[in-house]
Amino acid sequence: AVVSTQSTGTQSVDEEVESWERLSSRSSKLRDRERAQAFLEFLKPIKNEMTSLESTPLNKCHEVTERVQDYLDDLWKTVVDSGSPYGETRMRHLLTVLGNSWTR
């Protein structure tokens, strides 16, 4: 099963990471596994930052925001050897999911 870079049904950063981890370990196509691993390089730190947010003092939240922004920028710029970027629709959805996480 190929995970599209354009659409997603994930409702959390955790689910997004899990989706790419499944592809990374289960795909029969090397190209798909490499693409998933490239995206996970930035998605895992985003997940960790969002997890740490709950215990971050309010006056330090801007630092978390900046780090997440940097990871998102790097994720957006990532184009793996297959030429597949992290799709725009998928990125928009991830931004919505992150925004919802921030407001909880």
Side-chain angles (χ1 to χ4, degrees), residues 39 42 70-80 85-86 91:
F39 297 154
F42 304 107
D70 289 343
Y71 289 126
L72 287 167
D73 189 48
D74 291 340
L75 176 62
W76 179 246
K77 292 175 183 175
T78 299
V79 177
V80 291
Y86 195 84
M91 179 61 82

Side-chain angles (χ1 to χ4, degrees), residues 49-88:
E49 292 290 349
M50 296 305 291
T51 299
S52 73
L53 190 60
E54 290 180 19
S55 61
T56 302
L58 190 56
N59 64 343
K60 299 288 184 182
C61 285
H62 71 282
E63 294 171 9
V64 173
T65 304
E66 289 175 9
R67 288 192 298 269
V68 168
Q69 182 179 350
D70 289 343
Y71 289 126
L72 287 167
D73 189 48
D74 291 340
L75 176 62
W76 179 246
K77 292 175 183 175
T78 299
V79 177
V80 291
D81 291 336
S82 66
S84 298
Y86 195 84
E88 181 179 350

Side-chain angles (χ1 to χ4, degrees), residues 9-99:
T10 61
Q11 299 301 311
S12 69
V13 177
D14 290 348
E15 288 179 10
E16 183 71 0
V17 169
E18 290 169 8
S19 174
W20 289 108
E21 284 176 335
R22 277 192 305 277
L23 184 64
S24 171
S25 65
R26 295 182 184 164
S27 179
S28 60
K29 296 180 181 178
L30 177 62
R31 176 183 54 194
D32 290 341
R33 290 192 312 268
E34 289 174 344
R35 179 178 64 175
Q37 290 167 359
F39 297 154
L40 284 168
E41 183 178 332
F42 304 107
L43 288 167
K44 284 181 178 181
I46 291 170
K47 175 184 169 182
N48 293 339
E49 292 290 349
M50 296 305 291
T51 299
S52 73
L53 190 60
E54 290 180 19
S55 61
T56 302
L58 190 56
N59 64 343
K60 299 288 184 182
C61 285
H62 71 282
E63 294 171 9
V64 173
T65 304
E66 289 175 9
R67 288 192 298 269
V68 168
Q69 182 179 350
D70 289 343
Y71 289 126
L72 287 167
D73 189 48
D74 291 340
L75 176 62
W76 179 246
K77 292 175 183 175
T78 299
V79 177
V80 291
D81 291 336
S82 66
S84 298
Y86 195 84
E88 181 179 350
T89 301
R90 193 168 192 113
M91 179 61 82
R92 287 179 186 269
H93 181 75
L94 180 59
L95 292 171
T96 299
V97 166
L98 285 168

